[in-house]
Amino acid sequence: MFLGHIAVGLAGKRGVPTVSLATWLTSVQLVDMLWPIFLLAGLEHVRIAPGITRFTPLDFYDYPITHSLVGSAAWAVVFGAGCLLVYRDVRIAVLLAAGVMSHWVLDVISHRPDMPVLPRGPYIGLGLWNSVPATLVVELTMFAIGLMLYVRSGRAGRRRASFWLLMAFVLVAYFAAAFGPPPPNVSVLAWSGLIGWLLVPWAWLADREKTGSN
Ligand SMILES: [Zn+2]
């Protein structure tokens, strides 16, 4: 649920404007940012199986470290602790840790029952991805709401080309993954997944309050 996660990040930014959008996007996407690294390290596994759901050709059969409920909770604690050190504010740290957990909840909504509660199951998933129209309606609605919340917050980013280019990039990446051909192999998938890290410096530049160029 890529756009749905981004939407939560945009909404989080509205809720806690003192935290950069870069930090918010890292929070909501943390486990998906770590996932390609664990794939490349051979610690988690995925299969390319066109038809497994209507929306994605990926069979997520083994990702206990990044995508189990307990794994996500552990990452949330680590991320929240780091944020507590940086921001020295318990409320902010808890909200950013909740952002990490929101990823798991939204993934449960979209995935088929492949989301582990404990590292080796039980597995749950509501299967939104079994319907392309339903997936698009839910995610695009969430994204539109998140974007509206950000724009109405009066952040400098709403006037910056870099912010709108970031939003355009997110949409293009989403539609390319949804409607483009399946990745040729897991290695290409994992390496291209690392592009997600690019959003962090990009969001930081787009969202900073200092006036200046784009
Ligand atoms: Zn995920």
Side-chain angles (χ1 to χ4, degrees):
M1 179 165 309
F2 179 56
L3 282 184
H5 300 306
I6 301 295
V8 174
L10 289 164
K13 171 73 203 183
R14 171 67 177 265
V16 188
T18 49
V19 172
S20 169
L21 182 63
T23 311
W24 272 111
L25 293 188
T26 306
S27 157
V28 296
Q29 277 290 85
L30 181 66
V31 301
D32 271 6
M33 289 165 66
L34 295 169
W35 177 63
I37 297 171
F38 283 95
L39 284 181
L40 290 169
L43 295 170
E44 295 196 333
H45 304 89
V46 65
R47 256 183 233 115
I48 295 161
I52 188 133
T53 69
R54 291 200 177 268
F55 192 74
T56 178
L58 303 180
D59 176 8
F60 302 94
Y61 69 98
D62 180 44
Y63 53 174
I65 307 166
T66 58
H67 277 72
S68 68
L69 176 60
V70 287
S72 297
W75 292 115
V77 168
V78 169
F79 191 73
C83 291
L84 187 60
L85 286 176
V86 173
Y87 295 104
R88 308 230 164 244
D89 185 316
V90 174
R91 178 180 156 266
I92 288 176
V94 168
L95 285 170
L96 285 163
V100 177
M101 288 311 298
S102 77
H103 187 103
W104 192 84
V105 175
L106 292 186
D107 273 6
V108 165
I109 293 170
S110 43
H111 286 227
R112 63 192 195 86
D114 63 19
M115 292 288 295
V117 176
L118 299 172
R120 294 291 163 212
Y123 297 89
I124 60 172
L126 300 178
L128 179 65
W129 279 345
N130 288 321
S131 165
V132 174
T135 300
L136 291 177
V137 166
V138 170
E139 292 212 58
L140 289 171
T141 303
M142 288 178 73
F143 184 67
I145 293 170
L147 200 50
M148 190 189 72
L149 287 172
Y150 182 91
V151 168
R152 289 212 181 155
S153 70
R155 300 289 305 171
R158 75 192 196 284
R159 283 180 264 105
R160 277 208 189 100
S162 52
F163 174 76
W164 292 103
L165 282 171
L166 174 63
M167 294 298 111
F169 176 80
V170 159
L171 279 172
V172 168
Y174 177 76
F175 281 103
F179 298 108
N185 56 57
V186 171
S187 183
V188 168
L189 170 70
W191 283 106
S192 54
L194 289 173
I195 292 171
W197 287 83
L198 196 73
L199 301 191
V200 178
W202 193 344
W204 182 82
L205 282 170
D207 185 52
R208 74 199 192 285
E209 276 305 304
K210 225 172 75 187
T211 49
S213 65
N214 288 325

